[in-house]
Coordinates of all heavy atoms in Angstrom, one line a residue:
E1 N -2.7 -44.5 -84.9 CA -4.0 -44.2 -84.4 C -4.6 -43.0 -85.1 O -3.9 -42.2 -85.7 CB -4.0 -43.9 -83.0 CG -3.7 -45.1 -82.1 CD -3.9 -44.8 -80.6 OE1 -4.5 -43.8 -80.3 OE2 -3.6 -45.7 -79.7
K2 N -5.9 -42.8 -85.1 CA -6.6 -41.8 -85.7 C -7.1 -40.7 -84.7 O -7.9 -39.9 -85.1 CB -7.7 -42.3 -86.6 CG -7.4 -43.3 -87.6 CD -8.6 -43.7 -88.5 CE -8.1 -44.6 -89.5 NZ -9.1 -45.0 -90.5
K3 N -6.4 -40.6 -83.6 CA -6.8 -39.6 -82.6 C -6.1 -38.4 -82.9 O -4.9 -38.4 -83.4 CB -6.4 -40.1 -81.2 CG -7.2 -41.2 -80.6 CD -6.6 -41.4 -79.1 CE -7.3 -42.6 -78.5 NZ -6.8 -42.8 -77.1
N4 N -6.8 -37.3 -82.6 CA -6.0 -36.0 -82.8 C -5.3 -35.7 -81.5 O -5.3 -36.4 -80.5 CB -7.0 -34.8 -83.1 CG -8.0 -34.5 -82.0 OD1 -7.8 -34.9 -80.9 ND2 -9.1 -33.9 -82.4
K5 N -4.7 -34.5 -81.3 CA -3.8 -34.3 -80.3 C -4.6 -34.2 -78.9 O -4.0 -34.0 -77.9 CB -3.0 -33.0 -80.5 CG -3.9 -31.8 -80.7 CD -2.9 -30.6 -81.0 CE -3.6 -29.2 -81.1 NZ -2.8 -28.1 -81.4
Y6 N -6.0 -34.0 -79.1 CA -6.8 -33.9 -77.8 C -7.4 -35.2 -77.5 O -8.1 -35.3 -76.3 CB -7.9 -32.9 -78.0 CG -7.4 -31.5 -78.6 CD1 -7.5 -31.1 -79.9 CD2 -6.8 -30.8 -77.7 CE1 -7.1 -29.9 -80.3 CE2 -6.5 -29.5 -78.0 CZ -6.5 -29.1 -79.3 OH -6.0 -27.8 -79.7
G7 N -7.1 -36.4 -78.1 CA -7.6 -37.7 -77.8 C -8.9 -38.0 -78.5 O -9.6 -38.9 -78.0
F8 N -9.4 -37.2 -79.4 CA -10.5 -37.4 -80.0 C -10.3 -38.3 -81.4 O -9.4 -38.0 -82.0 CB -11.2 -36.1 -80.6 CG -11.8 -35.2 -79.5 CD1 -11.3 -35.1 -78.1 CD2 -12.8 -34.4 -79.7 CE1 -11.7 -34.3 -77.3 CE2 -13.4 -33.6 -78.8 CZ -12.8 -33.5 -77.6
Y9 N -11.3 -39.1 -81.7 CA -11.4 -39.7 -83.0 C -12.3 -38.9 -83.7 O -13.5 -38.7 -83.3 CB -12.0 -41.2 -82.8 CG -11.1 -42.1 -82.1 CD1 -11.2 -42.4 -80.7 CD2 -10.0 -42.8 -82.8 CE1 -10.3 -43.3 -80.1 CE2 -9.2 -43.7 -82.1 CZ -9.4 -43.9 -80.8 OH -8.6 -44.8 -80.2
K10 N -11.9 -38.5 -84.9 CA -12.7 -37.6 -85.8 C -13.4 -38.6 -86.8 O -12.7 -39.1 -87.6 CB -11.9 -36.6 -86.5 CG -12.7 -35.7 -87.3 CD -12.0 -34.5 -87.8 CE -12.8 -33.5 -88.5 NZ -12.2 -32.3 -88.8
L11 N -14.8 -38.7 -86.7 CA -15.5 -39.5 -87.5 C -16.0 -38.7 -88.7 O -16.1 -39.3 -89.9 CB -16.7 -40.1 -86.8 CG -16.4 -40.9 -85.5 CD1 -17.7 -41.4 -84.9 CD2 -15.5 -42.1 -85.8
S12 N -16.2 -37.5 -88.7 CA -16.6 -36.6 -89.8 C -16.2 -35.2 -89.3 O -15.8 -35.0 -88.3 CB -18.1 -36.8 -90.1 OG -18.9 -36.3 -89.2
D13 N -16.6 -34.3 -90.2 CA -16.4 -32.8 -89.9 C -17.2 -32.4 -88.6 O -16.9 -31.4 -87.9 CB -16.7 -31.9 -91.0 CG -15.6 -32.0 -92.1 OD1 -14.6 -32.5 -91.8 OD2 -15.8 -31.6 -93.2
D14 N -18.4 -33.0 -88.5 CA -19.3 -32.8 -87.4 C -19.3 -33.6 -86.2 O -19.8 -33.4 -85.1 CB -20.7 -32.7 -87.9 CG -21.0 -31.7 -89.0 OD1 -20.4 -30.7 -88.9 OD2 -21.7 -32.0 -90.0
I15 N -18.6 -34.8 -86.3 CA -18.6 -35.8 -85.2 C -17.2 -36.1 -84.8 O -16.3 -36.5 -85.5 CB -19.4 -37.0 -85.6 CG1 -20.8 -36.7 -86.1 CG2 -19.3 -38.1 -84.4 CD1 -21.6 -37.9 -86.7
E16 N -16.9 -36.0 -83.4 CA -15.8 -36.4 -82.8 C -16.1 -37.2 -81.6 O -17.1 -36.9 -80.9 CB -14.8 -35.2 -82.4 CG -14.4 -34.4 -83.5 CD -13.8 -33.2 -83.2 OE1 -14.1 -32.5 -82.1 OE2 -12.8 -32.6 -83.8
V17 N -15.4 -38.3 -81.4 CA -15.7 -39.1 -80.3 C -14.4 -39.3 -79.4 O -13.4 -39.5 -79.9 CB -16.1 -40.6 -80.8 CG1 -16.4 -41.5 -79.6 CG2 -17.3 -40.4 -81.7
V18 N -14.6 -39.4 -78.1 CA -13.7 -39.7 -77.0 C -14.0 -41.0 -76.4 O -15.1 -41.3 -76.0 CB -13.6 -38.5 -75.9 CG1 -12.6 -39.0 -75.0 CG2 -13.4 -37.3 -76.5
V19 N -13.0 -41.9 -76.4 CA -13.3 -43.3 -75.8 C -12.3 -43.4 -74.6 O -11.1 -43.2 -74.6 CB -12.8 -44.4 -76.8 CG1 -13.1 -45.7 -76.1 CG2 -13.7 -44.2 -78.0
D20 N -12.9 -43.5 -73.4 CA -12.2 -43.7 -72.1 C -12.6 -45.0 -71.5 O -13.5 -45.8 -71.9 CB -12.6 -42.6 -71.2 CG -12.2 -41.2 -71.6 OD1 -11.0 -41.1 -72.1 OD2 -12.9 -40.2 -71.3
S21 N -11.7 -45.4 -70.5 CA -12.0 -46.6 -69.8 C -13.3 -46.4 -68.9 O -13.6 -45.2 -68.6 CB -10.9 -47.1 -68.9 OG -10.6 -46.1 -67.9
D22 N -13.9 -47.4 -68.4 CA -15.1 -47.3 -67.6 C -14.8 -46.4 -66.3 O -15.6 -45.6 -65.8 CB -15.6 -48.6 -67.1 CG -16.3 -49.4 -68.3 OD1 -16.5 -48.8 -69.3 OD2 -16.4 -50.6 -68.2
E23 N -13.5 -46.6 -65.8 CA -13.2 -45.8 -64.5 C -13.2 -44.4 -64.8 O -13.5 -43.6 -63.9 CB -11.8 -46.2 -64.1 CG -11.7 -47.7 -63.5 CD -11.5 -48.6 -64.8 OE1 -10.8 -48.3 -65.7 OE2 -12.0 -49.8 -64.6
D24 N -13.0 -44.0 -66.1 CA -12.9 -42.5 -66.3 C -14.3 -41.9 -66.3 O -14.4 -40.7 -66.3 CB -12.3 -42.2 -67.7 CG -10.7 -42.6 -67.7 OD1 -10.2 -42.5 -66.6 OD2 -10.3 -42.9 -68.8
F25 N -15.3 -42.7 -66.3 CA -16.7 -42.2 -66.5 C -17.4 -42.0 -65.2 O -18.5 -41.5 -65.1 CB -17.5 -43.1 -67.4 CG -17.2 -43.0 -68.8 CD1 -16.6 -44.1 -69.5 CD2 -17.5 -41.9 -69.5 CE1 -16.3 -44.0 -70.8 CE2 -17.2 -41.8 -70.8 CZ -16.6 -42.8 -71.6
I26 N -16.8 -42.6 -64.0 CA -17.4 -42.4 -62.7 C -17.4 -40.9 -62.4 O -16.6 -40.2 -62.6 CB -16.5 -43.1 -61.7 CG1 -16.6 -44.7 -62.0 CG2 -17.1 -42.9 -60.3 CD1 -15.6 -45.5 -61.2
D27 N -18.5 -40.5 -61.9 CA -18.9 -39.1 -61.5 C -18.9 -38.1 -62.6 O -18.7 -36.9 -62.4 CB -18.0 -38.7 -60.4 CG -18.3 -39.5 -59.1 OD1 -19.4 -40.0 -58.9 OD2 -17.2 -39.7 -58.4
Q28 N -19.0 -38.5 -63.9 CA -18.9 -37.5 -65.1 C -20.2 -37.3 -65.6 O -20.5 -36.4 -66.4 CB -18.0 -38.1 -66.1 CG -16.6 -38.0 -65.7 CD -15.7 -38.3 -67.1 OE1 -16.3 -38.3 -68.2 NE2 -14.4 -38.5 -66.9
F29 N -21.3 -38.0 -65.1 CA -22.6 -37.9 -65.7 C -23.6 -37.5 -64.7 O -23.7 -37.8 -63.5 CB -23.0 -39.2 -66.4 CG -22.1 -39.5 -67.6 CD1 -21.0 -40.2 -67.4 CD2 -22.5 -39.0 -68.8 CE1 -20.2 -40.6 -68.4 CE2 -21.7 -39.4 -69.9 CZ -20.5 -40.1 -69.7
D30 N -24.7 -36.7 -65.2 CA -25.9 -36.4 -64.5 C -27.1 -37.1 -65.2 O -26.9 -37.5 -66.4 CB -26.1 -34.9 -64.4 CG -25.1 -34.2 -63.6 OD1 -24.9 -34.8 -62.5 OD2 -24.8 -33.0 -64.0
L31 N -28.3 -37.2 -64.5 CA -29.4 -37.6 -65.1 C -30.3 -36.5 -65.5 O -30.6 -35.7 -64.6 CB -30.0 -38.7 -64.2 CG -31.0 -39.7 -64.8 CD1 -30.2 -40.6 -65.7 CD2 -31.6 -40.6 -63.7
K32 N -30.6 -36.4 -66.8 CA -31.5 -35.3 -67.1 C -32.7 -35.8 -67.9 O -32.4 -36.4 -68.9 CB -30.7 -34.4 -68.0 CG -31.5 -33.1 -68.6 CD -31.8 -32.1 -67.6 CE -32.4 -30.9 -68.2 NZ -33.1 -30.2 -67.3
D33 N -33.9 -35.6 -67.4 CA -35.1 -36.1 -68.1 C -34.9 -37.6 -68.3 O -35.4 -38.0 -69.4 CB -35.5 -35.4 -69.4 CG -35.7 -33.9 -69.0 OD1 -36.2 -33.5 -68.0 OD2 -35.4 -33.0 -70.0
G34 N -34.4 -38.3 -67.5 CA -34.3 -39.8 -67.5 C -33.2 -40.3 -68.5 O -33.0 -41.4 -68.7
Y35 N -32.3 -39.3 -69.0 CA -31.2 -39.7 -69.8 C -29.9 -39.4 -69.1 O -29.8 -38.4 -68.5 CB -31.2 -38.8 -71.1 CG -32.3 -39.2 -72.0 CD1 -33.5 -38.4 -72.0 CD2 -32.4 -40.3 -72.9 CE1 -34.6 -38.7 -72.7 CE2 -33.5 -40.6 -73.6 CZ -34.5 -39.8 -73.5 OH -35.7 -40.2 -74.4
Q36 N -28.9 -40.2 -69.3 CA -27.6 -39.9 -68.8 C -26.8 -39.1 -69.6 O -26.6 -39.3 -70.9 CB -26.8 -41.3 -68.6 CG -25.5 -41.1 -67.8 CD -24.8 -42.5 -67.6 OE1 -25.1 -43.5 -68.4 NE2 -24.0 -42.6 -66.5
V37 N -26.4 -37.9 -69.2 CA -25.7 -36.9 -70.0 C -24.4 -36.4 -69.2 O -24.3 -36.4 -68.0 CB -26.6 -35.7 -70.2 CG1 -27.8 -36.0 -71.1 CG2 -27.0 -35.0 -69.0
Q38 N -23.4 -36.2 -70.0 CA -22.2 -35.7 -69.3 C -22.4 -34.4 -68.7 O -23.1 -33.4 -69.2 CB -21.1 -35.5 -70.4 CG -19.7 -35.4 -69.7 CD -18.5 -35.6 -70.8 OE1 -18.7 -35.3 -71.9 NE2 -17.5 -36.2 -70.2
K39 N -21.8 -34.2 -67.5 CA -22.0 -32.8 -66.8 C -21.5 -31.7 -67.6 O -20.4 -31.8 -68.4 CB -21.1 -33.0 -65.5 CG -21.7 -33.9 -64.5 CD -20.9 -33.8 -63.3 CE -21.5 -34.9 -62.2 NZ -20.9 -34.9 -61.0
L40 N -22.3 -30.5 -67.6 CA -21.9 -29.4 -68.3 C -20.5 -28.8 -68.0 O -19.8 -28.3 -68.9 CB -23.0 -28.3 -68.2 CG -24.2 -28.4 -69.1 CD1 -25.1 -27.2 -68.7 CD2 -23.7 -28.3 -70.5
S41 N -20.1 -29.0 -66.7 CA -18.8 -28.4 -66.3 C -17.7 -29.2 -67.1 O -16.7 -28.6 -67.4 CB -18.6 -28.5 -64.8 OG -18.8 -29.9 -64.4
I42 N -17.8 -30.4 -67.3 CA -16.8 -31.2 -67.9 C -16.8 -30.8 -69.5 O -15.7 -30.6 -70.1 CB -17.2 -32.7 -67.8 CG1 -17.0 -33.1 -66.3 CG2 -16.3 -33.6 -68.7 CD1 -17.4 -34.5 -65.9
I43 N -18.0 -30.8 -70.1 CA -18.1 -30.3 -71.5 C -17.4 -28.9 -71.6 O -16.7 -28.7 -72.6 CB -19.6 -30.3 -71.9 CG1 -20.1 -31.8 -71.9 CG2 -19.6 -29.8 -73.3 CD1 -21.5 -31.8 -72.2
R44 N -17.9 -28.0 -70.7 CA -17.3 -26.7 -70.8 C -15.7 -26.7 -70.8 O -15.1 -26.1 -71.5 CB -17.8 -25.8 -69.7 CG -17.5 -24.3 -69.7 CD -17.9 -23.5 -68.5 NE -17.4 -22.2 -68.7 CZ -16.2 -21.7 -68.6 NH1 -15.2 -22.6 -68.2 NH2 -16.0 -20.4 -68.7
D45 N -15.2 -27.3 -69.7 CA -13.7 -27.3 -69.5 C -13.0 -27.9 -70.6 O -12.0 -27.5 -71.1 CB -13.4 -28.2 -68.2 CG -13.9 -27.5 -67.0 OD1 -14.2 -26.3 -67.0 OD2 -13.9 -28.3 -65.9
F46 N -13.6 -28.9 -71.2 CA -13.0 -29.6 -72.5 C -13.1 -28.6 -73.6 O -12.0 -28.5 -74.3 CB -13.9 -30.8 -72.8 CG -13.1 -31.9 -73.6 CD1 -11.9 -32.5 -73.1 CD2 -13.6 -32.4 -74.7 CE1 -11.3 -33.4 -73.8 CE2 -13.0 -33.3 -75.5 CZ -11.8 -33.8 -74.9
K47 N -14.1 -27.8 -73.8 CA -14.1 -26.9 -74.9 C -13.2 -25.7 -74.8 O -12.7 -25.3 -75.7 CB -15.7 -26.5 -75.1 CG -16.5 -27.7 -75.8 CD -17.9 -27.2 -76.0 CE -18.7 -28.2 -76.7 NZ -18.4 -28.2 -78.2
V48 N -13.2 -25.3 -73.4 CA -12.2 -24.2 -73.1 C -10.7 -24.7 -73.4 O -10.0 -23.9 -74.1 CB -12.2 -23.8 -71.7 CG1 -11.2 -22.9 -71.2 CG2 -13.5 -23.1 -71.5
K49 N -10.4 -25.9 -73.0 CA -9.1 -26.4 -73.3 C -8.8 -26.5 -74.8 O -7.6 -26.1 -75.3 CB -8.9 -27.7 -72.6 CG -7.5 -28.5 -72.7 CD -7.5 -29.8 -72.1 CE -6.2 -30.4 -72.3 NZ -6.2 -31.8 -71.7
R50 N -9.8 -27.1 -75.6 CA -9.5 -27.1 -77.0 C -9.4 -25.8 -77.6 O -8.7 -25.6 -78.6 CB -10.6 -28.1 -77.5 CG -10.2 -28.5 -79.0 CD -11.0 -29.6 -79.5 NE -12.5 -29.3 -79.5 CZ -13.4 -30.0 -80.1 NH1 -13.1 -31.0 -80.7 NH2 -14.7 -29.5 -80.1
G51 N -10.3 -24.9 -77.3 CA -10.3 -23.5 -77.7 C -10.6 -23.3 -79.2 O -10.2 -22.1 -79.6
L52 N -11.3 -24.1 -79.9 CA -11.6 -23.8 -81.3 C -12.8 -22.8 -81.3 O -13.5 -22.7 -80.3 CB -12.1 -25.1 -82.0 CG -11.0 -26.2 -82.1 CD1 -11.6 -27.4 -82.7 CD2 -9.8 -25.7 -83.0
P53 N -12.8 -22.0 -82.4 CA -14.0 -21.0 -82.4 C -15.3 -21.5 -82.2 O -16.1 -20.9 -81.4 CB -13.8 -20.4 -83.8 CG -12.3 -20.6 -84.3 CD -12.0 -21.9 -83.5
K54 N -15.7 -22.7 -82.7 CA -17.0 -23.3 -82.4 C -17.1 -23.7 -81.0 O -18.2 -23.7 -80.5 CB -17.1 -24.6 -83.4 CG -16.2 -25.7 -83.1 CD -16.5 -26.9 -83.9 CE -15.7 -28.0 -83.6 NZ -16.0 -29.3 -84.3
D55 N -16.0 -24.1 -80.4 CA -16.0 -24.4 -78.9 C -16.2 -23.2 -78.1 O -17.0 -23.3 -77.1 CB -14.8 -25.2 -78.6 CG -14.7 -26.5 -79.1 OD1 -15.6 -27.2 -79.3 OD2 -13.6 -26.9 -79.5
L56 N -15.7 -22.1 -78.4 CA -15.8 -20.9 -77.6 C -17.2 -20.3 -77.7 O -17.8 -19.8 -76.8 CB -14.8 -19.8 -78.1 CG -13.4 -20.3 -77.8 CD1 -12.4 -19.2 -78.4 CD2 -13.1 -20.6 -76.4
V57 N -17.9 -20.6 -78.8 CA -19.3 -20.2 -79.0 C -20.1 -21.1 -78.0 O -21.0 -20.6 -77.3 CB -19.9 -20.4 -80.4 CG1 -21.4 -20.3 -80.6 CG2 -19.2 -19.4 -81.4
D58 N -19.9 -22.4 -78.0 CA -20.5 -23.3 -77.1 C -20.3 -22.9 -75.5 O -21.1 -23.0 -74.8 CB -20.1 -24.7 -77.3 CG -20.6 -25.2 -78.6 OD1 -21.5 -24.7 -79.2 OD2 -20.0 -26.2 -79.1
V59 N -19.0 -22.4 -75.3 CA -18.7 -22.1 -73.9 C -19.6 -20.9 -73.5 O -20.1 -20.8 -72.3 CB -17.2 -21.8 -73.8 CG1 -16.9 -21.1 -72.5 CG2 -16.3 -23.0 -73.8
K60 N -19.7 -19.9 -74.4 CA -20.6 -18.7 -74.1 C -22.0 -19.2 -73.8 O -22.7 -18.7 -72.9 CB -20.4 -17.8 -75.3 CG -21.5 -16.6 -75.2 CD -21.0 -15.5 -74.2 CE -21.8 -14.3 -74.4 NZ -22.9 -14.2 -73.5
K61 N -22.5 -20.1 -74.7 CA -23.9 -20.7 -74.4 C -24.1 -21.3 -73.2 O -25.0 -21.2 -72.4 CB -24.3 -21.5 -75.7 CG -24.5 -20.8 -76.9 CD -24.9 -21.7 -78.0 CE -25.1 -20.9 -79.4 NZ -25.4 -21.9 -80.5
I62 N -23.1 -22.2 -72.8 CA -23.1 -22.9 -71.5 C -23.0 -21.9 -70.3 O -23.8 -22.0 -69.4 CB -21.9 -23.9 -71.5 CG1 -22.2 -25.0 -72.5 CG2 -21.9 -24.4 -70.0 CD1 -21.0 -26.0 -72.7
D63 N -22.2 -20.9 -70.4 CA -22.1 -19.9 -69.4 C -23.4 -19.1 -69.3 O -23.8 -18.9 -68.1 CB -20.9 -18.9 -69.7 CG -19.6 -19.6 -69.4 OD1 -19.5 -20.6 -68.8 OD2 -18.6 -18.9 -69.9
D64 N -24.0 -18.7 -70.4 CA -25.3 -18.0 -70.3 C -26.4 -18.9 -69.7 O -27.2 -18.4 -68.9 CB -25.7 -17.7 -71.8 CG -24.8 -16.5 -72.3 OD1 -24.1 -15.8 -71.6 OD2 -24.9 -16.2 -73.5
Y65 N -26.4 -20.2 -70.0 CA -27.4 -21.1 -69.5 C -27.2 -21.3 -68.1 O -28.1 -21.2 -67.2 CB -27.2 -22.5 -70.2 CG -28.1 -23.6 -69.5 CD1 -29.4 -23.7 -69.7 CD2 -27.6 -24.5 -68.6 CE1 -30.2 -24.6 -69.2 CE2 -28.3 -25.4 -68.0 CZ -29.7 -25.5 -68.2 OH -30.3 -26.5 -67.6
L66 N -25.9 -21.5 -67.6 CA -25.7 -21.7 -66.2 C -26.0 -20.4 -65.3 O -26.4 -20.4 -64.2 CB -24.2 -22.0 -66.0 CG -23.9 -23.5 -66.4 CD1 -22.3 -23.7 -66.3 CD2 -24.7 -24.6 -65.7
N67 N -25.7 -19.2 -65.9 CA -26.0 -18.0 -65.3 C -27.5 -17.8 -65.1 O -28.0 -17.4 -64.1 CB -25.5 -16.8 -66.0 CG -24.0 -16.6 -65.8 OD1 -23.4 -17.1 -64.8 ND2 -23.3 -16.0 -66.8
D68 N -28.2 -18.1 -66.2 CA -29.8 -17.9 -66.1 C -30.3 -18.9 -65.1 O -31.2 -18.6 -64.4 CB -30.3 -18.2 -67.6 CG -30.1 -17.1 -68.4 OD1 -29.7 -16.1 -68.1 OD2 -30.3 -17.3 -69.7
K69 N -29.8 -20.2 -65.1 CA -30.3 -21.1 -64.1 C -29.9 -20.7 -62.7 O -30.9 -21.0 -61.9 CB -29.5 -22.4 -64.5 CG -30.0 -23.7 -63.6 CD -29.3 -25.0 -64.2 CE -29.8 -26.1 -63.4 NZ -29.2 -27.4 -63.7
S70 N -28.7 -20.1 -62.4 CA -28.6 -19.7 -61.1 C -29.4 -18.5 -60.7 O -29.7 -18.4 -59.5 CB -27.0 -19.3 -60.9 OG -26.7 -18.1 -61.7
L71 N -29.9 -17.7 -61.5 CA -30.8 -16.6 -61.2 C -32.3 -17.1 -60.9 O -32.9 -16.5 -60.2 CB -31.0 -15.7 -62.4 CG -29.6 -14.9 -62.8 CD1 -29.8 -14.0 -64.1 CD2 -29.2 -13.9 -61.6
D72 N -32.5 -18.3 -61.4 CA -33.8 -19.0 -61.1 C -33.9 -19.5 -59.8 O -35.0 -19.8 -59.3 CB -34.2 -20.0 -62.2 CG -34.4 -19.5 -63.6 OD1 -34.8 -18.2 -63.6 OD2 -34.4 -20.2 -64.6
M73 N -32.8 -19.7 -59.2 CA -32.7 -20.4 -57.8 C -33.0 -19.4 -56.7 O -32.9 -18.3 -56.5 CB -31.4 -21.1 -57.6 CG -31.2 -22.2 -58.6 SD -29.7 -23.0 -58.2 CE -29.9 -24.5 -59.3

């Protein structure tokens, strides 16, 4: 298989794909502006677990976004 140790298929330096069964997708998505997108909490947890420098930058951005969003409520 061409999966890395995190279960990703690396298509290029910029693109990695995870393929799961349909059951794995239940409750993992939100609807945003009419589009189905994976929940930020899942993306964040995944990036924390992987721990690459580029992922940690994304984690900081997600945390900042979520903190700003909570202040607006």
Side-chain angles (χ1 to χ4, degrees):
E1 291 194 7
K2 296 183 180 187
K3 289 183 183 180
N4 66 17
K5 65 182 179 179
Y6 304 104
F8 286 36
Y9 290 95
K10 186 169 185 172
L11 303 180
S12 72
D13 287 339
D14 297 323
I15 301 172
E16 296 172 326
V17 179
V18 179
V19 180
D20 291 323
S21 67
D22 290 343
E23 295 83 33
D24 293 333
F25 288 110
I26 295 172
D27 297 326
Q28 287 191 11
F29 293 91
D30 288 324
L31 206 57
K32 177 72 174 159
D33 299 327
Y35 296 97
Q36 191 177 23
V37 295
Q38 191 166 35
K39 292 181 179 184
L40 274 179
S41 60
I42 294 171
I43 295 170
R44 185 192 181 283
D45 291 346
F46 205 54
K47 289 179 173 286
V48 167
K49 181 179 176 183
R50 192 164 61 166
L52 296 174
K54 67 179 185 175
D55 292 323
L56 299 178
V57 170
D58 292 339
V59 168
K60 172 78 168 96
K61 290 178 182 180
I62 291 169
D63 288 346
D64 290 347
Y65 172 79
L66 293 174
N67 287 334
D68 288 345
K69 188 174 176 185
S70 70
L71 293 175
D72 291 339
M73 295 180 167

